[in-house]
Amino acid sequence: AQTVTQSQPEMSVQEAETVTLSCTYDTSESDYYLFWYKQPPSRQMILVIRQEAYKQQNATENRFSVNFQKAAKSFSLKISDSQLGDAAMYFCAFIYNFNKFYFGSGTKLNVKP
Amino acid sequence: GAVVSQHPSWVICKSGTSVKIECRSLDFQATTMFWYRQFPKQSLMLMATSNEGSKATYEQGVEKDKFLINHASLTLSTLTVTSAHPEDSSFYICSARGGVETQYFGPGTRLLVL
């Protein structure tokens, strides 16, 4: 069975600072994909970043980057130069073999001005 | 690119009536779409997987006769909540599979059953 765990229900960061959101997962699969989605108050799910398990290089999208540790089954999201618009729920997700998404429980990120 | 729309965004109905929610992929074709339900301050709960031209696959505990799903074309899937009751009030989100294993989400539909 596949599981995704986000152990931080809520976090806060000062504007312009850096914050890291944690995600761990459990699977026996070797080929899979990992995602971070953002859900702002509008509740629209927005793709933040995607990582293929076969790629050793960590994915980066502007201010967002991941630390993918396959052996440790860890997939953390780092947000640099935090902005007020980054305030949202962040969900980590896992998928393999055109299956369904397995979502974590989410982390609420507050950004303080 | 990869835009998914949902209609309506808000619906209020009386108990016992049926409500249809549409999910459209606007700029890509999606052979597979997904329907989720989200309770306040919780994660997304997958209800069913919708495949174009075939029957939907429902998750355990989801009543297929209550939540009817039709995926009639490569850009449209519909969810019909039949004989809606107050406990069906929720936020319903669809997504469409685009690219390699990536899902693109619609803006969601808020359903309130009185």
Side-chain angles (χ1 to χ4, degrees):
Chain A
Q2 334 300 320
T3 59
V4 178
T5 302
Q6 292 179 250
S7 59
Q8 306 152 317
E10 188 165 357
M11 293 191 72
S12 295
V13 62
Q14 205 72 34
E15 198 176 3
E17 297 294 306
T18 296
V19 65
T20 299
L21 308 183
S22 300
C23 173
T24 58
Y25 59 95
D26 190 23
T27 183
S28 58
E29 301 292 328
S30 59
D31 191 15
Y32 50 86
Y33 297 79
L34 295 159
F35 300 82
W36 280 97
Y37 281 89
K38 166 186 176 181
Q39 188 179 40
S42 68
R43 303 186 80 173
Q44 166 78 62
M45 292 284 283
I46 301 166
L47 175 64
V48 175
I49 202 164
R50 186 182 90 162
Q51 175 78 44
E52 294 89 339
Y54 64 86
K55 289 188 177 178
Q56 292 186 338
Q57 187 172 9
N58 289 325
T60 299
E61 288 288 342
N62 300 314
R63 297 182 296 108
F64 298 88
S65 61
V66 299
N67 183 3
F68 173 49
Q69 301 290 328
K70 191 171 184 180
K73 295 180 182 174
S74 170
F75 182 62
S76 60
L77 174 69
K78 185 172 85 171
I79 306 174
S80 304
D81 185 27
S82 296
Q83 300 176 358
L84 294 177
D86 295 333
M89 282 290 291
Y90 285 80
F91 293 99
C92 177
F94 165 96
I95 191 169
Y96 72 98
N97 197 26
F98 293 96
N99 211 305
K100 61 184 180 182
F101 264 16
Y102 294 86
F103 282 100
S105 55
T107 296
K108 182 180 180 182
L109 179 65
N110 303 305
V111 181
K112 300 177 181 178
Chain B
V3 177
V4 176
S5 70
Q6 258 182 266
H7 179 80
S9 57
W10 246 114
V11 58
I12 301 174
C13 68
K14 293 182 178 180
S15 185
T17 60
S18 294
V19 174
K20 179 184 284 187
I21 303 170
E22 293 186 348
C23 177
R24 294 181 185 272
S25 56
L26 298 185
D27 50 2
F28 66 103
Q29 293 183 331
T31 56
T32 304
M33 292 184 173
F34 303 85
W35 287 95
Y36 296 86
R37 185 172 179 177
Q38 187 179 32
F39 295 101
K41 299 184 179 182
Q42 292 189 22
S43 189
L44 280 68
M45 181 184 77
L46 180 65
M47 298 174 66
T49 302
S50 168
N51 294 294
E52 188 265 338
S54 63
K55 290 184 178 180
T57 302
Y58 291 81
E59 293 299 299
Q60 190 173 9
V62 178
E63 299 175 60
K64 65 175 74 173
D65 294 331
K66 179 158 190 67
F67 299 100
L68 299 179
I69 292 172
N70 183 278
H71 194 154
S73 76
L74 288 172
T75 59
L76 173 65
S77 176
T78 60
L79 168 67
T80 301
V81 183
T82 61
S83 187
H85 292 285
E87 58 265 30
D88 299 323
S89 298
S90 192
F91 187 67
Y92 293 88
I93 309 175
C94 74
S95 71
R97 177 182 283 145
V100 182
E101 300 279 26
T102 302
Q103 290 186 27
Y104 298 95
F105 289 82
T109 297
R110 290 167 175 78
L111 170 63
L112 178 61
V113 184
L114 301 176

